[in-house]
Amino acid sequence: MKWWITVLPIVLIALVLNFRKSNSTVNPNFQGNGIVLKTFQNYYESVKLACKEYPKIPESYILALIGLECSGRKIVPHRFENHIYAQLKKVKKGQKRYFENIVQKDLMGKNERELRELASSWGPFQIMGYKSIAMNIDLDGLDNQDRIINGISWISENYGIYLEQGKYQDAFHLHNTGKPYPKIGKPFTFRNNYVSDGLSLMDSFQNLILQIQ
């Protein structure tokens, strides 16, 4: 057993007090402290190992993203997105030339079940299934034993430069919407507190990592 597992509850008490003290604007429905504990216990070792291959991507960001997207659960339900399904179906039928980087030949031979799987988000990062085509991996690569390294690889490829520059607000917004945080107006995320909750989680994970090093 790792030694930090023994001291983790004590460290988390301090984090809970700090989280409540410094994050009064956090969504009241956001159970940040429980998410920190669950995510850290379920994912820290695999995130730490994977991030060794991507040293410019902070472990604390990856853990925070997992906390945001799946609340740290080991078994993550797939989430079907009907509007994505509609776009993919149009591409397959030739009614639309492309959707992002997906063209008709990518979908040829896909049955209804497979098309719905491509239109669902997968794994702890909730990456859309159709992204696996450009990643050149099987769909289950988003939700099997390689899901952390595959997810970090996708993050590095798509918006890693923002993480390298410390632009974490943009990075969280990019993961959820595909666009940097807007310079004017509200965020485009599915809930308004997504980015602020992510930044708060990132601080908590960073403090926890420092405590156990």
Side-chain angles (χ1 to χ4, degrees), residues 65-166:
L65 189 61
I66 292 172
L68 280 177
E69 291 291 344
C70 75
S71 299
R73 290 173 292 184
K74 280 187 177 181
I75 300 175
V76 186
H78 307 156
R79 187 168 61 216
F80 175 69
E81 301 284 356
N82 190 60
H83 66 287
I84 300 295
Y85 170 75
Q87 295 299 315
L88 294 178
K89 202 162 186 178
K90 287 180 181 179
V91 172
K92 183 182 177 183
K93 291 181 176 181
Q95 298 171 349
K96 188 179 179 75
R97 289 183 59 192
Y98 59 86
F99 173 67
E100 293 189 15
N101 60 340
I102 302 298
V103 296
Q104 188 178 38
K105 69 176 182 178
D106 294 321
L107 304 177
M108 296 302 293
K110 301 292 184 185
N111 59 34
E112 183 70 10
R113 176 184 59 80
E114 291 171 323
L115 206 62
R116 290 180 68 87
E117 288 177 344
L118 291 176
S120 299
S121 55
W122 290 68
F125 300 109
Q126 289 292 279
I127 296 174
M128 294 302 302
Y130 69 87
K131 302 286 188 182
S132 65
I133 296 174
M135 295 169 71
N136 198 29
I137 62 172
D138 292 334
L139 185 59
D140 66 356
L142 298 176
D143 201 26
N144 63 13
Q145 69 273 11
D146 296 320
R147 59 189 184 172
I148 298 300
I149 190 65
N150 285 337
I152 293 175
S153 175
W154 182 84
I155 288 166
S156 177
E157 177 71 21
N158 285 272
Y159 61 88
I161 187 65
Y162 287 86
L163 293 170
E164 293 176 20
Q165 296 174 354

Side-chain angles (χ1 to χ4, degrees), residues 7 26 37 43 57 87 109 113 121 137 146 148 172 200 203 210:
V7 302
V26 172
L37 174 58
Y43 289 98
I57 295 183
Q87 295 299 315
R113 176 184 59 80
S121 55
I137 62 172
D146 296 320
I148 298 300
F172 282 117
S200 296
D203 286 342
L210 290 174

